[in-house]
Amino acid sequence: SVATVCKPLCEMVAEILQYIQDGIKVRPIEADAMYGGIMIDTNNFANKAGVRTFEAAAFLRRCGADVTRVRMMFRNDADEFRARAVALSRAKIVYDHYVISECPSEGLESPTIVCAQAANELLNINSVDASFVFTEYNDKIYISARSIDSINVQLIMERIGGGGHMNVAGAQLENTSIPEAEELVKTTLKEMIDNKLILPLMDSNGKYCSEDDSYNEITKLENEKTSLNAQITAKDAQIASLNIQLNVANADKEAAQK
């Protein structure tokens, strides 16, 4: 199975480099690349950034990573900047807490990247729990879905053939148009809201649950819960079997000593 909550890859690489050998040398350009990777995966340290994320970033800074150089790596050209602005201007609020929009792709080298950037920016709107931005590229409709810990967008994208992680997900649709894709997402959202399959990740007291508890107890589909319980039962059975084997081995050992 795929982990829905995971650490940035560059963070894990930086951790390994710290402990694999004392005094290991990392070139500044390599440190820049890994620092930039952490920034992308955490959306500028806003999502899934824990203590060890910042420790990895500090290690890379000591290795010569330069924040200014990294920032310049992420600058957009004028066409990409305008396309993102168009996507933000087309934003529409649906079902009170979700926003959808369309990102133009004409003249862009990587419209899917601009689409993802627009989806991230739309989360800055008050009361928005998740964003969905659509763009057309290579005869497919690409959907970038984003959230800020309040909604599991992975489950939504899985319903239409996509996937991803809890806060970052997406899908690719063939033989369809952007209006049809938007309608599919809205229909899916409505169905999941009505069936209480994408509840906010809060407990009955209004406090935010931990990521694991929220995912397992609130937003998981019923068949996923059943599968999880079956896995736990199987593990318990394995542990019981090992305990029996251990007891038998101990009894044989005691008998041999007598």
Side-chain angles (χ1 to χ4, degrees):
S1 60
V2 177
T4 57
V5 179
C6 62
K7 298 167 66 173
L9 175 60
C10 289
E11 175 188 335
M12 292 189 286
V13 172
E15 284 186 352
I16 293 170
L17 290 174
Q18 288 182 77
Y19 303 117
I20 196 171
Q21 179 181 335
D22 292 335
I24 192 167
K25 300 293 183 183
V26 178
R27 291 181 297 173
I29 189 172
E30 295 169 335
D32 284 351
M34 285 188 283
Y35 192 94
I38 293 175
M39 288 182 63
I40 290 174
D41 286 341
T42 62
N43 191 20
N44 292 327
F45 300 96
N47 295 329
K48 301 295 177 290
V51 173
R52 294 172 72 172
T53 308
F54 290 100
E55 289 176 349
F59 165 73
L60 294 172
R61 290 282 283 126
R62 291 193 297 271
C63 291
D66 185 271
V67 177
T68 302
R69 285 199 305 264
V70 173
R71 182 181 177 186
M72 292 183 70
M73 288 166 50
F74 293 143
R75 291 198 299 181
N76 303 122
D77 63 28
D79 289 337
E80 292 174 338
F81 193 87
R82 279 191 287 267
R84 193 163 69 246
V86 170
L88 298 180
S89 69
R90 292 176 178 175
K92 296 174 288 188
I93 303 293
V94 296
Y95 308 125
D96 299 326
H97 299 290
Y98 307 91
V99 60
I100 63 173
S101 186
E102 174 188 348
C103 181
S105 58
E106 298 81 5
L108 300 183
E109 182 179 352
S110 302
T112 55
I113 293 177
V114 180
C115 179
Q117 291 172 341
N120 280 329
E121 290 197 34
L122 288 171
L123 292 178
N124 292 323
I125 300 174
N126 282 333
S127 78
V128 166
D129 290 331
S131 64
F132 305 88
V133 180
F134 306 77
T135 192
E136 186 174 358
Y137 183 56
N138 289 341
D139 299 322
K140 295 181 181 179
I141 303 302
Y142 287 78
I143 307 172
S144 287
R146 300 290 186 271
S147 68
I148 310 180
D149 285 339
S150 54
I151 293 295
N152 189 335
V153 289
Q154 176 201 358
L155 298 181
I156 301 169
M157 290 295 97
E158 285 178 348
R159 283 294 185 96
I160 60 175
H165 297 286
M166 183 172 171
N167 303 124
V168 179
Q172 301 175 23
L173 304 179
E174 296 181 339
N175 303 317
T176 189
S177 64
I178 287 181
E180 291 171 340
E182 289 183 358
E183 192 60 36
L184 175 62
V185 169
K186 287 194 289 186
T187 301
T188 303
L189 275 172
K190 183 70 165 59
E191 177 186 339
M192 296 183 76
I193 292 169
D194 290 345
N195 289 293
K196 302 186 185 304
L197 296 176
I198 46 173
L199 297 173
L201 306 184
M202 291 189 295
D203 61 20
S204 58
N205 297 318
K207 296 181 180 179
Y208 279 96
C209 303
S210 72
E211 293 166 353
D212 291 338
D213 288 343
S214 298
Y215 184 74
N216 290 334
E217 303 301 331
I218 298 178
T219 64
K220 259 186 174 288
L221 299 176
E222 288 302 321
N223 61 341
E224 290 179 305
K225 287 183 181 179
T226 302
S227 174
L228 182 64
N229 290 334
Q231 292 176 31
I232 293 172
T233 302
K235 285 291 183 184
D236 289 341
Q238 290 177 5
I239 292 172
S241 175
L242 289 173
N243 286 334
I244 292 172
Q245 294 176 31
L246 182 61
N247 291 335
V248 170
N250 288 335
D252 291 343
K253 185 178 178 181
E254 291 175 0
Q257 289 175 349
K258 291 178 180 177

